[in-house]
Amino acid sequence: MSQAGTLILILSIAVLAPLLAQGAGRWLPVPLVIFEIALGVLVGPDVLGWAGEGEVIDTLADLGLAMLIFLAGYEIEFDKVRGSTLRRSVRAWLIALAVGLGLATLLSGFDRGVYIGTALTSTALGTVLPVLRDAGQLRSRFGSVMMTFGAVGEFGPIIAIALLLSGRSPGRSTVVLAAFALLTAVAVWWATRPRPPWFAKVVEVTLHTSGQFAVRLVVLLLAAMLGISRALGLDTLLGAFAAGVIARLLLHGSAPQSAEPVMEKVEAMGFGFLVPVFYVVTGIEFDLDSLLSGGRALLLLPLFLVLFLVVRGLPVYALAPRDLGARERKALTLFAATALPLVVAITTIGVGEGELRTDEAAALVGAAMLSVLVFPLAALRLRGGRAAHRDPLKEREPESW
């Protein structure tokens, strides 16, 4: 099939998936991403063979992943991501990295273990946040804690990719990261500077016209940070995450009344077009044949699923804030162990570099897909399901966040 035909097929799946998710939701609240990936696998080369490949499709999928990470970075509320909870989340991720690298090295050797171990420490914050938002739990105390642990679980592996998987020496990688951090700090300083009165006025006036100044500015920020990270030889996900943080600081600091409607438009562009393309293409490119043709890959899949819980989940459970009850801590563990976007990115790098076997990559991505299906559903059940719009912990938010 031509690239145009494949794109029409992908967009058709993007339209069909919410209908299926809505219908299934009457019995079981299956995350939308599961239908997008599953239908991608169905039309992919290993099943029906309807979907083709091409540079345009790959570029749109890359943009979808960047938008997903950008939106995850934007969701972080810095007045809440601080204090004790932030310190706990950083310690939990560092423990996960040490355990993950150790277990993965024992399983597959050091060269492949670096990729596998790093992937095991990730949290699919961009996937979990819509689930929490749809369940009415994102703005609760639990949602804020999950956002903090998830942000570190998203940002930490991105830094690890730059340090461990870039092919550069640790010293040179550190210098490059420091240069990126300096440029990001300058951008943050610019974003937090007081804007002249006309800025907020232009944002408001063009919000419902063809001008769309704020939306265009946000897209420019994303493109600029992607370009900076690419120019420095870093993974573009680092730039996407930083762009989300900068965009939030800029909009909420300079045009707070318009920030929410502006981001609704950006989210519509992301979740309405680019992000579904990424997930459907993930399904299309999933190597189902490698997973099903080898006994080792099938054995690795459930093992990796358990390792997501052990490596990423257990440190989170152990270091979760003490004001969370037992059920909240278990739900936090399951949400934090949910992985996918960064697993796809890391395995793609590993296979492309010839360091990671295709069957191992397929098993790891397959386990991440299962984590997206199983863990959020179990976590929502622990949290009281979709009806849990009120959080008893919301009214007692300690200052030690």
Side-chain angles (χ1 to χ4, degrees):
M1 181 180 291
S2 66
Q3 291 192 60
T6 298
L7 181 58
I8 293 173
L9 181 60
I10 290 171
L11 295 180
S12 299
I13 291 174
V15 172
L16 178 60
L19 300 177
L20 295 177
Q22 188 69 21
R26 300 174 183 176
W27 299 278
L28 192 66
V30 180
L32 172 62
V33 59
I34 293 301
F35 291 99
E36 293 168 342
I37 294 175
L39 290 173
V41 172
L42 179 65
V43 302
D46 291 339
V47 184
L48 297 178
W50 291 350
E53 298 180 358
E55 185 176 349
V56 173
I57 302 300
D58 290 341
T59 299
L60 288 175
D62 291 341
L63 287 174
L65 176 57
M67 179 62 76
L68 186 66
I69 302 301
F70 167 85
L71 292 172
Y74 182 87
E75 287 287 355
I76 299 174
E77 300 179 41
F78 283 92
D79 58 332
K80 297 180 179 180
V81 180
R82 57 183 174 86
S84 174
T85 301
L86 179 58
R87 291 192 294 272
R88 288 174 177 273
S89 62
V90 171
R91 288 200 298 267
W93 184 80
L94 290 175
I95 292 171
L97 180 62
V99 174
L101 292 176
L103 291 178
T105 298
L106 291 175
L107 181 67
S108 300
F110 179 76
D111 290 340
R112 299 203 300 271
V114 172
Y115 292 88
I116 296 172
T118 304
L120 291 174
T121 68
S122 66
T123 294
L125 182 61
T127 303
V128 168
L129 288 183
V131 175
L132 289 173
R133 183 189 296 113
D134 294 343
Q137 300 179 16
L138 184 58
R139 302 304 175 191
S140 67
R141 160 64 170 156
F142 177 85
S144 296
V145 173
M146 179 58 231
M147 193 179 300
T148 306
F149 277 82
V152 175
E154 192 99 59
F155 189 67
I158 292 174
I159 295 296
I161 291 173
L163 286 173
L164 302 177
L165 309 182
S166 64
R168 293 185 293 262
S169 65
R172 186 180 176 191
S173 296
T174 302
V175 171
V176 172
L177 274 176
F180 180 83
L182 178 61
L183 292 172
T184 302
V186 172
V188 168
W189 174 82
W190 170 81
T192 54
R193 295 287 295 170
R195 307 256 88 78
W198 63 260
F199 182 87
K201 183 65 175 177
V202 172
V203 170
E204 182 180 357
V205 169
T206 62
L207 188 58
H208 301 290
T209 71
S210 59
Q212 297 294 330
F213 169 74
V215 175
R216 297 182 185 195
L217 181 58
V218 168
V219 174
L220 174 61
L221 282 173
L222 175 57
M225 295 308 295
L226 291 178
I228 290 173
S229 58
R230 177 64 64 88
L232 292 174
L234 297 171
D235 195 283
T236 54
L237 300 184
L238 186 59
F241 194 90
V245 172
I246 295 167
R248 182 180 187 87
L249 293 173
L250 176 63
L251 291 177
H252 284 262
S254 303
Q257 294 183 344
S258 302
E260 185 173 347
V262 167
M263 284 311 298
E264 285 177 355
K265 294 174 179 289
V266 177
E267 285 184 346
M269 178 173 54
F271 291 120
F273 175 42
L274 293 173
V275 174
V277 171
F278 163 68
Y279 281 126
V280 175
V281 172
T282 296
I284 291 173
E285 295 182 348
F286 179 67
D287 195 348
L288 186 64
D289 185 62
S290 293
L291 183 64
L292 298 180
S293 63
R296 183 173 184 269
L298 282 177
L299 291 176
L300 285 176
L301 190 148
L303 176 61
F304 285 146
L305 185 64
V306 172
L307 285 179
F308 280 125
L309 271 177
V310 172
V311 171
R312 179 65 181 137
L314 289 185
V316 169
Y317 182 84
L319 291 170
R322 299 308 177 194
D323 63 316
L324 295 184
R327 292 174 68 88
E328 283 80 11
R329 293 162 70 90
K330 292 176 183 177
L332 183 68
T333 298
L334 290 166
F335 276 130
T338 303
L340 184 60
L342 290 180
V343 174
V344 173
I346 291 170
T347 54
T348 300
I349 294 172
V351 172
E353 295 290 332
E355 298 288 351
L356 197 62
R357 292 171 43 170
T358 56
D359 61 337
E360 290 176 327
L364 195 53
V365 173
M369 291 180 185
L370 285 179
S371 78
V372 171
L373 174 62
V374 176
F375 294 164
L377 292 179
L380 283 178
R381 188 173 296 274
L382 286 170
R383 293 282 301 149
R386 296 176 61 140
H389 290 274
R390 294 187 60 201
D391 190 329
L393 293 169
K394 186 177 180 180
E395 304 300 327
R396 52 186 181 94
E397 299 173 350
E399 296 183 358
S400 62
W401 284 14

